[in-house]
Amino acid sequence: MATSSTFLRDAWLIAGFDLRESIRTRRALVLALLYLLVASITSYIYVEVVRFAQEATSEVIAGMSDAGDKIAAASAAGAAEAAGYSGLLYVIAGGDQAIANHLATYPPMVLVFAWFSLGALPWLIALTSYDLVAGDLHLRTVRFVALRTSRGAFVLGKLLSQVLLVALIAGLGMLPVLLIGGVYLPRFDVVDTVLALLRAWPILALFAFAVLGPVACASQLVRGPGAARALATFFLFVLWILGIWAAFAPGLSALRWLTPFAYKTYFFHPDLLYRLMNAAGCAALCAGYTWLGFQVFRRRDL
Amino acid sequence: MNAPALALAAVHKRFGAVHALRGVDLRVPRGSIFALIGPNGAGKTTLFSVVCGFLRADQGSIDVLGGPPDVMRFKGRLAALPQDAVLGRELTVREHLTFLARLQGMSPETARREAERVLAIVDLGELAGRRAGTLSHGQVKRVGVAQAFLGDPELILLDEPTAGLDPRHAHDLREALRGHRGQRTIVISSHNLQELEAICDEAAFIEKGQTLEAGAVSALTAQDAEVFVVLAPGPEPIDQLRAHLGDVAVEWDTQRRVLRVSFQPGPNRAAEDVIAAVLRELLAQGARISGVGKGRSLEQRYLEATR
């Protein structure tokens, strides 16, 4: 019987090998570039919105002759901006004022990037990771590994490699935030932004676990990469709908915790315990869905 | 007697309506080079896959290296060249082999050395740094063979190892396999029966998912119980030979001009003794000899067995 140290060692070896293989493929490069592009566009749009708001306010204030009016208008504009931003954070936080307050501790540009990333990651992962097992089954590459380690270590290794890949791509996506913010925003605090991005990075990686669960499940159920992609996308879509439905269905709101999408907000809870429980929830969701798929994979012909 | 490296009894495997293995029995002695012979679709690849644990048998008993197929028990002890498995395209040959060696429990340095060693066996040392996706079909096959030798496993299953290789590399691989005789058990599936006859000690004929015959190659080809003589055009003293030799069976193939003498081997009756007696009588009768040999070719035996 495999010892747990052998199991983990093998899984780690597979993760490292698969990650190296993944980052040399054209698909990973294209997706990294796509992520960078969208991150850049998001950052740029944010910068433009800020600039437009500031210019519009400046124009209105410049048209006033009285200095007292100018101060009052600037103060009112600032208050309106703050109120609007707080309201937006309240909506993002799902009506939880404590989370909204914690979100406010992030620089807005980092928050925009993080929220965009959390929204895009499920579909990005569905596009990059759908064949994490099905691809090896299709080409029968798995046969070289299956004589040397357990199927469980194989799946865990593949899963870890995809988490690392997502973390890598998400990390790359932070560069445009720094670059565009630094170039276009007059009062851009680089240190503050870097520290906030570093706080957001593990959130993205942990959230990737939650999304990878259903994707890994789909990838173990079918042999062809095309079928795996379709099934992974279908699973995520169904879970997305389930999450929305559960949020409004009386007495069934707990069902939303079966979907990865429910775990986005609580990463921004001010209480560390909530954040840790949320991370554990992501890991449990990943383990649960992967285990479901594994019940088919462990018995299937390779 | 040593336990066999591989023992299968009444193994069945179905793929939907296709009954790929219909009660295969097989016993592969330790240290032997064993040939698995059969036409396309006979079930050879399925059999290999069942032994490796890639496929689960529906029925029957499988004993591999003293136990049931279990990858964690095999770890490094059983290796295989899967017929249609593909290596990833992006990493180098060395990276692939080092990775597989590390999965067998080797340290990074040992794994790198082992990768170089097995690449030398298949004469691919100079391509170690090449991406696997840029290799030719034959080179990919040789890398596949190389990975099967990582860590010197006890049992190696090679599914058509020389298919697609050029004659030189096929020859070198045969020689390399021959060099492992007695050291480890190797099971080879191939359609090249001359090749199998040259390197294997034992063989089994498989057809339609069943074992037709199995045993030592020398017994299957009747090396000890049959001799043949090819006669050049001229006298055909077959009746005289029958009368002279007595209790042996003499067959004469007039078209191919091959004379076959089958006999019961005994302590005082080896194939060489029978050859001497046959040649003496034929020469005495004025026959012209153009060839002499023992037994039948594996190909002939296979054709007879599957007729």
Side-chain angles (χ1 to χ4, degrees):
Chain A
M1 192 64 199
T3 62
S4 56
S5 65
T6 308
F7 179 85
L8 292 175
R9 176 187 177 274
D10 289 354
W12 189 244
L13 279 173
I14 290 165
F17 183 79
D18 195 59
L19 180 64
R20 272 185 291 158
E21 175 100 26
S22 294
I23 59 181
R24 288 190 210 176
T25 60
R26 201 174 296 165
R27 185 176 62 182
L29 183 69
V30 167
L31 281 162
L33 289 174
L34 198 65
Y35 192 78
L36 279 173
L37 183 71
V38 180
S40 304
I41 290 171
T42 310
S43 302
Y44 189 71
I45 288 172
Y46 169 77
V47 162
E48 283 299 302
V49 167
V50 169
R51 201 188 339 206
F52 175 77
Q54 285 172 345
E55 282 174 4
T57 308
S58 300
E59 271 178 33
V60 171
I61 292 172
M64 295 176 173
S65 51
D66 184 72
D69 287 348
K70 282 184 180 179
I71 293 166
S75 161
E81 190 185 326
Y85 185 59
S86 298
L88 182 66
L89 294 183
Y90 186 75
V91 171
I92 288 173
D96 188 319
Q97 192 57 54
I99 295 175
N101 292 342
H102 188 70
L103 284 171
T105 64
Y106 281 83
M109 194 167 177
V110 173
L111 204 56
V112 168
F113 163 75
W115 211 253
F116 143 74
S117 294
L118 289 172
L121 266 181
W123 313 108
L124 180 76
I125 287 172
L127 281 175
T128 53
S129 309
Y130 62 90
D131 61 350
L132 84 164
V133 173
D136 284 52
L137 276 173
H138 179 66
L139 296 173
R140 299 198 170 166
T141 310
V142 64
R143 290 187 168 194
F144 289 114
V145 175
L147 270 180
R148 293 169 168 99
T149 191
S150 66
R151 297 187 188 196
F154 173 74
V155 172
L156 180 61
K158 288 281 181 176
L159 203 61
L160 286 175
S161 88
Q162 293 307 306
V163 172
L164 293 171
L165 182 66
V166 169
L168 204 65
I169 291 178
L172 277 176
M174 294 175 182
L175 295 177
V177 178
L178 289 171
L179 197 69
I180 293 171
V183 170
Y184 290 102
L185 288 181
R187 287 185 307 244
F188 185 71
D189 188 335
V190 177
V191 176
D192 195 32
T193 307
V194 167
L195 289 175
L197 284 171
L198 290 177
R199 276 163 70 200
W201 202 0
I203 291 175
L204 298 177
L206 287 166
F207 182 65
F209 264 111
V211 178
L212 272 165
V215 174
C217 177
S219 196
Q220 292 176 89
L221 296 180
V222 292
R223 186 175 282 275
R229 181 171 45 205
L231 194 59
T233 311
F234 174 73
F235 274 6
L236 286 178
F237 182 73
V238 167
L239 290 172
W240 184 52
I241 297 293
L242 175 69
I244 294 170
W245 176 73
F248 295 103
L252 294 173
S253 63
L255 281 178
R256 74 185 199 280
W257 297 109
L258 293 176
T259 81
F261 305 96
Y263 294 85
K264 283 198 288 189
T265 319
Y266 277 83
F267 276 121
F268 298 94
H269 198 283
D271 191 334
L272 177 65
L273 186 64
Y274 274 81
R275 297 204 298 272
L276 289 175
M277 279 170 58
N278 198 55
C282 286
L285 198 73
C286 180
Y289 281 113
T290 305
W291 181 84
L292 281 177
F294 187 67
Q295 296 316 302
V296 172
F297 179 67
R298 66 195 280 259
R299 291 182 178 88
R300 78 174 308 149
D301 291 343
L302 299 181
Chain B
M1 188 178 165
N2 279 347
L6 179 61
L8 287 87
V11 173
H12 287 260
K13 176 69 184 173
R14 290 178 188 82
F15 299 103
V18 179
H19 201 162
L21 299 180
R22 300 164 181 252
V24 168
D25 298 303
L26 209 61
R27 189 181 169 85
V28 178
R30 280 187 194 258
S32 66
I33 303 186
F34 194 99
L36 204 56
I37 302 164
N40 291 330
K44 303 185 298 294
T45 299
T46 303
L47 188 62
F48 274 14
S49 300
V50 164
V51 171
C52 290
F54 302 150
L55 305 179
R56 281 163 206 273
D58 298 321
Q59 215 178 308
S61 84
I62 303 163
D63 185 295
V64 189
L65 298 170
D70 171 7
V71 66
M72 296 318 290
R73 199 172 55 76
F74 289 161
K75 208 170 173 74
R77 297 177 66 204
L78 168 67
L81 166 67
Q83 193 187 43
D84 40 13
V86 179
L87 289 170
R89 296 178 55 82
E90 303 303 327
L91 298 181
T92 66
V93 171
R94 184 186 289 111
E95 285 173 305
H96 275 289
L97 293 176
T98 305
F99 162 64
L100 294 175
R102 292 214 62 202
L103 279 182
Q104 288 179 211
M106 294 179 208
S107 68
E109 186 50 40
T110 310
R112 266 192 294 274
R113 276 203 306 272
E114 187 63 4
E116 302 297 338
R117 183 186 74 81
V118 296
L119 281 174
I121 292 176
V122 294
D123 192 25
L124 271 182
E126 78 281 7
L127 295 185
R130 278 264 296 272
R131 278 176 52 232
T134 64
L135 300 178
S136 70
H137 175 73
Q139 288 166 339
V140 168
K141 178 60 75 80
R142 281 152 63 199
V143 174
V145 172
Q147 64 80 32
F149 281 95
L150 284 168
D152 280 336
E154 291 169 52
L155 173 60
I156 304 175
L157 309 176
L158 301 173
D159 200 353
E160 307 207 14
T162 56
L165 296 194
D166 59 67
R168 173 62 189 270
H169 286 113
H171 169 267
D172 290 350
L173 180 56
R174 277 195 294 273
E175 291 305 307
L177 293 175
R178 218 197 296 260
H180 287 277
R181 176 175 281 137
Q183 296 169 25
R184 56 189 50 80
T185 312
I186 302 177
V187 184
I188 307 171
S189 133
S190 171
H191 293 298
N192 186 339
L193 300 193
Q194 282 180 323
E195 168 182 284
L196 293 177
E197 190 170 355
I199 59 176
C200 294
D201 317 299
E202 303 261 337
F205 298 142
I206 308 263
E207 190 172 61
K208 292 178 184 163
Q210 288 178 308
T211 316
L212 297 179
E213 278 186 52
V217 170
S218 60
L220 285 172
T221 55
Q223 295 285 316
D224 302 324
E226 192 174 301
V227 298
F228 68 88
V229 179
V230 185
L231 297 184
E236 299 171 3
I238 311 304
D239 292 337
Q240 292 89 325
L241 185 68
R242 281 198 181 104
H244 177 74
L245 293 174
D247 61 338
V248 297
V250 178
E251 284 175 52
W252 169 240
D253 182 339
T254 45
Q255 279 195 326
R256 295 168 61 204
R257 299 192 63 78
V258 176
L259 182 72
R260 289 198 172 276
V261 179
S262 308
F263 56 94
Q264 193 65 44
N268 300 318
R269 198 190 225 182
E272 289 73 17
D273 301 323
V274 176
I275 288 174
V278 169
L279 290 184
R280 265 198 304 272
E281 181 60 19
L282 287 175
L283 290 171
Q285 299 295 332
R288 297 165 65 222
I289 314 288
S290 64
V292 181
K294 292 196 294 184
R296 299 181 176 214
S297 69
L298 201 56
E299 185 177 61
Q300 276 177 301
R301 282 295 295 117
Y302 168 70
L303 292 174
E304 287 164 11
T306 55
R307 189 164 290 151

